[in-house]
Amino acid sequence: MSLPPIFGTARLLDDPELRFAPSGVAVCRVRLAFNSRKKNDATGQWEDADTLFVDGTVFKQEAENVAESLTRGTEVVVYGRLKTEQYTTREGEKRSATKLMIDGIGPSLKFATAKPQKLARSNGGQPGGGNDPWASGGAAPTRTGGGNFDEEPPF
């Protein structure tokens, strides 16, 4: 069974928080608010309806890119998988929280512009070498059960 997917437009509640795991892997936390707006026919004004607040986590190079590119208040298009994490408070109480394991995130271009800058990949100077499956017509990354790419995030 796979984790439930989510896809939508949200707003960042804070600047992304970048940290590094003991293994050196970049981990970025983003706080998101998804809401459904509707137009009030009587007043002609847009009104916020229900809101879902969720913490999202991004890993590796994408985590560093998110921390460098996005800021509080940015409207983003995001997709990922919902996951329930269990934890114990300092007082010893068991709790759980729903988190979003982010597979992709970027700025919404509905009311903004962006100029993506492609990052160079290290391939040891060999055409088609290194970890770039797209180089020299290589096969694209494949998806496995649960909608994950071949390499799972380290958590």
Side-chain angles (χ1 to χ4, degrees):
M1 179 165 18
S2 62
L3 295 172
I6 186 171
F7 177 86
T9 303
R11 192 162 301 275
L12 294 182
L13 297 173
D14 294 316
D15 286 337
E17 298 172 16
L18 180 65
R19 63 182 175 82
F20 291 87
S23 65
V25 172
V27 180
C28 186
R29 175 181 175 248
V30 292
R31 293 184 58 228
L32 300 163
F34 293 87
N35 73 357
S36 53
R37 298 191 74 185
K38 58 184 176 183
K39 193 169 189 176
N40 182 326
D41 292 331
T43 66
Q45 299 293 317
W46 285 93
E47 298 174 351
D48 287 335
D50 297 326
T51 303
L52 169 68
F53 297 97
V54 65
D55 285 344
T57 306
V58 185
F59 297 94
K60 300 184 179 180
Q61 183 63 52
E62 189 172 11
E64 294 183 52
N65 296 348
V66 166
E68 170 123 359
S69 304
L70 303 176
T71 58
R72 179 182 187 264
T74 302
E75 187 175 79
V76 294
V77 177
V78 61
Y79 66 95
R81 298 157 282 128
L82 291 174
K83 177 182 179 181
T84 302
E85 291 186 351
Q86 311 272 334
Y87 64 97
T88 304
T89 66
R90 292 181 190 157
E91 295 78 28
E93 299 172 334
K94 294 189 181 223
R95 301 280 172 108
S96 64
T98 301
K99 305 284 185 172
L100 179 61
M101 307 311 294
I102 297 174
D103 293 319
I105 185 171
S108 169
L109 301 180
K110 189 171 185 178
F111 300 111
T113 62
K115 297 212 183 281
Q117 179 181 359
K118 186 170 178 143
L119 299 177
R121 292 191 179 196
S122 173
N123 65 6
Q126 302 291 327
N131 295 326
D132 187 356
W134 300 100
S136 297
T142 58
R143 289 195 178 261
T144 59
N148 302 329
F149 282 103
D150 289 336
E151 188 170 320
E152 288 291 325
F155 53 90

